[in-house]
Amino acid sequence: MFTGIIETIGKVKELAQDQSNVHLTIESDITPELKIDQSVAHNGVCLTVVSIKDKLYTVTAIEETLAKTNLNSLVIGDSINLERAMKLGDRLDGHIVQGHVDQTAICEGIESSNGSWVFTFSYDETLHNITIEKGSITVNGVSLTVVNSKASTFSVAIVPYTYEHTTFKHLKIGSIVNLEFDVVGKYVKKLFELNK
């Protein structure tokens, strides 16, 4: 489990195809603290550390993960948001994040707003995920609050600290991001569907 509070930004150093899987080798300041078999969220995708060498560590993304996330579009040199799994007893500063990406979205707008930024994203509503005003959403692993919620679009406000310490500063119109919708909302929606 994660909180959506990004610890650091990693750099993609190697991408190795292995049949339908891709091994991603990441350079990061947190590498010396990692262990084999540890879970780390990469742009919100929970992946397991399989090897560590100096400041580099490697994780493997399987075919399904690559199909459902923006990890399939990474290239060497790209920056990636990183968060280690939450420790029991830690403060939950963001919200409950599982590291299971539901779908991707496209950045449709970036507006400067008195020292902060408003990012607008569109997503495929036929997959039946929903946002609600003032609800939680995870975008590329970052826990955020939804504003301007509509059927297939929503916006988030990004404060300067988040902008500088995540990959939001690298997003452009047309960038593809990973979305994990609020787990509580997903259960409520499922229960409602079962009781129809």
Side-chain angles (χ1 to χ4, degrees), residues 25-170:
T25 299
I26 311 292
E27 182 180 51
S28 163
D29 292 339
I30 64 171
T31 303
E33 300 169 43
L34 297 179
K35 295 177 179 159
I36 304 291
D37 286 340
Q38 199 167 25
S39 295
V40 178
H42 299 74
N43 277 356
V45 181
C46 179
L47 298 172
T48 303
V49 176
V50 296
S51 72
I52 301 169
K53 185 176 180 185
D54 301 322
K55 286 197 85 171
L56 302 175
Y57 70 92
T58 302
V59 293
T60 302
I62 63 171
E63 185 176 11
E64 182 182 0
T65 301
L66 295 167
K68 289 187 174 178
T69 71
N70 68 2
L71 297 186
N72 63 10
S73 62
L74 289 174
V75 296
I76 292 171
D78 277 354
S79 296
I80 189 164
N81 291 326
L82 301 176
E83 180 192 359
R84 286 176 288 173
M86 186 178 141
K87 289 181 190 172
L88 199 59
D90 277 358
R91 287 187 180 89
L92 185 60
D93 291 321
H95 71 283
I96 296 171
V97 177
Q98 295 179 298
H100 304 158
V101 170
D102 295 300
Q103 66 182 96
T104 58
I106 298 170
C107 182
E108 300 285 359
I110 304 171
E111 294 176 35
S112 181
S113 176
N114 295 319
S116 295
W117 293 264
V118 175
F119 285 75
T120 300
F121 299 97
S122 67
Y123 61 94
D124 180 359
E125 66 181 298
T126 65
L127 296 177
H128 306 295
N129 292 306
I130 58 169
T131 61
I132 61 166
E133 202 76 22
K134 303 292 186 278
S136 296
I137 186 81
T138 307
V139 178
N140 272 357
V142 183
S143 172
L144 297 165
T145 301
V146 172
V147 295
N148 199 21
S149 173
K150 297 191 174 147
S152 62
T153 65
F154 67 92
S155 299
V156 291
I158 304 297
V159 298
Y161 183 89
T162 302
Y163 187 84
E164 286 303 320
H165 292 88
T166 70
T167 59
F168 266 92
K169 62 180 171 277
H170 301 302

